[in-house]
Amino acid sequence: MKKILHHVFKYIKRLDIILLLLCLTASAFCVYLLYTISLNGINPSVVTPRTWRTQLYATIAGLACSLIIAAINYNILSKIWFTYAGVALILSLLLFTPLGMSTPGSTEVNWLDLGFMQIQPSEFLTVAFIMTMATHLHKVGDKMNRLPHMALLCLHVLVPVIMLVLQDNTGAPLLIILIFILMLFVAGLSWKYMVAGAVAIPLAAMAFWNFYAKDYHKMRILVVLDKELQQTELQGAFHQQNRSLIALGSGGLTGQGLSGGEYISIFGIHNDFMFAYIGMTLGFVGCILTLLLVMSICIKLLSTASLAKDLLGRLICAGAFATVFFHAVINVGMVVAVTPVVGVPLPFVSAGGSSTLALYIAIGLVLSVRAHREKKYHMFYTEKE
């Protein structure tokens, strides 16, 4: 028993407690916000007491997954990439069956109805991609800039991106591409590919606009760029963001409070537009503190990357950092109407069981990198020389 307690204390000592506390603080804040939304009767047909309870259960499950993953050496997890990648792909493929469903008001078939619960496979596909891409880049090493290897890396990212595009999902493919680019930089991308990428971006944008973008995609982009168009689309494409801006402005410096006020109803106020609710109830101060909390998580992820013992660990941390950072940037951009609406939540703060669980899995991977940064150390035993 004494030996078991010794290993448990050693396990706890090697955990990044500060990172866990930051994530749990953000999650607790989310649960409380959801509770107040349901209590204040904002969007009562969507946000009910069940909403905050589901978020609480997802947080508890996510924390458990995070602690379990932290106990496993990330090198071992890298070697069994085909297991979780296979599960993520199968879940995504099930969206093309009658089990796939869309949310009200959306054309994106990105939810899987399993009867007893509904999950969003794209969230788990993103985490699986981080691990598989980290493994891929680690294996090719300094050969990554050779054309055949770069072609295979691009093919690697195209698999989840194409699958998500076929689901009419716009936010998740963009995030995976951004994660991919950041991980390439960390792995040592050649300046030649950077120049080629800079040339390819406008070409890719033109191809997206002319061959893929639907009318509502184009309108969401145009209303952000054209102030005059916004006035004509107040009940159309710009309706959600217009109400978001009104909600933010109504909060002033310190907000209307969480226990009563003249609240603005916004579709998706509990998930994609939670930041608008924070601004409305807690004001500018609340928004700044929320952003500081999320950015503190990002800084801790970068800190762990700097402590990693190998490229694989750094790439895993970089992927997790990119996930949290780009989620936050795109989400806040949507809320303040500087980026189009693409259905990206604010990490740890927006409602979403699948998103929360996937984020904690990613945090678990980072915890594993930190805990196993010593070559001779394993969580529950120490190798002898």
Side-chain angles (χ1 to χ4, degrees):
M1 185 65 182
K2 189 176 180 180
K3 191 173 182 180
I4 293 173
L5 289 174
H6 169 73
H7 285 298
V8 169
F9 284 127
K10 183 181 276 191
Y11 162 68
I12 295 172
K13 186 178 178 181
R14 289 184 175 271
L15 284 176
D16 191 340
I17 301 297
I18 295 177
L19 176 59
L20 270 178
L21 286 176
L22 287 170
C23 295
L24 288 172
T25 300
S27 292
F29 182 46
C30 173
V31 172
Y32 182 64
L33 289 174
L34 292 173
Y35 171 75
T36 63
I37 293 173
S38 65
L39 200 65
N40 291 322
I42 306 174
N43 293 2
S45 62
V46 178
V47 184
T48 65
R50 181 181 177 182
T51 308
W52 69 262
R53 292 192 190 105
T54 300
Q55 189 68 21
L56 177 62
Y57 300 150
T59 300
I60 295 170
L63 177 62
C65 289
S66 190
L67 293 174
I68 292 169
I69 292 169
I72 306 171
N73 193 311
Y74 63 94
N75 287 280
I76 296 173
L77 294 171
S78 174
K79 291 175 182 177
I80 58 170
W81 62 267
F82 50 87
T83 55
Y84 46 80
V87 171
L89 286 172
I90 289 170
L91 289 174
S92 297
L93 288 171
L94 287 174
L95 290 172
F96 299 100
T97 71
L99 294 176
M101 59 173 287
S102 60
T103 54
S106 173
T107 61
E108 299 177 1
V109 182
N110 52 14
W111 285 90
L112 198 60
D113 189 356
L114 300 178
F116 62 96
M117 66 182 297
Q118 295 173 354
I119 63 171
Q120 195 170 10
S122 62
E123 302 291 350
F124 303 104
L125 187 63
T126 301
V127 179
F129 170 76
I130 291 171
M131 278 302 294
T132 57
M133 181 53 69
T135 301
H136 192 161
L137 286 166
H138 178 61
K139 285 185 176 180
V140 298
D142 55 8
K143 297 177 183 178
M144 64 166 283
N145 287 306
R146 296 181 184 179
L147 189 57
H149 288 295
M150 184 55 65
L152 288 174
L153 288 167
C154 291
L155 182 62
H156 186 152
V157 73
L158 279 176
V159 173
V161 167
I162 291 174
M163 185 171 291
L164 291 166
V165 166
L166 291 174
Q167 298 165 20
D168 203 21
N169 193 321
T170 51
L174 174 62
L175 285 166
I176 285 181
I177 291 170
L178 292 172
I179 292 167
F180 173 63
I181 292 171
L182 183 61
M183 291 179 77
L184 286 181
F185 273 103
V186 173
L189 183 66
S190 169
W191 65 269
K192 296 178 182 178
Y193 289 109
M194 296 181 196
V195 173
V199 173
I201 287 173
L203 296 175
M206 289 174 61
F208 167 80
W209 188 268
N210 292 316
F211 301 108
Y212 172 73
K214 297 178 181 178
D215 289 341
Y216 70 89
H217 289 137
K218 294 178 180 179
M219 188 58 71
R220 286 179 181 180
I221 296 171
L222 290 172
V223 293
V224 171
L225 301 173
D226 190 339
K227 299 298 181 182
E228 291 183 4
L229 185 61
Q230 291 176 5
Q231 299 304 313
T232 62
E233 289 291 328
L234 291 178
Q235 299 302 320
F238 195 63
H239 177 72
Q240 202 172 4
Q241 287 175 301
N242 179 56
R243 294 189 68 79
S244 172
L245 291 171
I246 295 172
L248 284 169
S250 70
L253 183 63
T254 57
Q256 301 181 36
L258 292 163
S259 58
E262 297 180 5
Y263 299 134
I264 308 296
S265 178
I266 309 168
F267 180 78
I269 196 170
H270 62 302
N271 44 45
D272 295 348
F273 284 82
M274 178 68 95
F275 193 68
Y277 180 70
I278 293 170
M280 181 167 57
T281 55
L282 301 175
F284 179 75
V285 173
C287 288
I288 293 298
L289 292 176
T290 301
L291 291 178
L292 286 174
L293 178 59
V294 175
M295 289 304 106
S296 296
I297 295 172
C298 290
I299 291 169
K300 285 298 295 178
L301 295 175
L302 289 177
S303 173
T304 303
S306 68
L307 296 172
K309 68 181 180 182
D310 54 18
L311 177 62
L312 178 62
R314 288 195 297 275
L315 289 168
I316 291 171
C317 294
F321 163 79
T323 302
V324 177
F325 179 77
F326 289 123
H327 264 85
V329 170
I330 295 172
N331 178 269
V332 174
M334 284 165 39
V335 172
V336 299
V338 298
T339 60
V341 176
V342 290
V344 173
L346 186 61
F348 296 105
V349 180
S350 292
S354 297
S355 174
T356 300
L357 185 56
L359 283 169
Y360 273 101
I361 290 172
I363 294 300
L365 294 171
V366 175
L367 292 175
S368 175
V369 171
R370 183 180 178 90
H372 298 92
R373 65 185 184 274
E374 293 180 11
K375 292 185 178 181
K376 293 294 181 181
Y377 176 78
H378 292 261
M379 192 64 80
F380 294 115
Y381 69 92
T382 304
E383 291 182 1
K384 294 181 180 180
E385 297 287 349

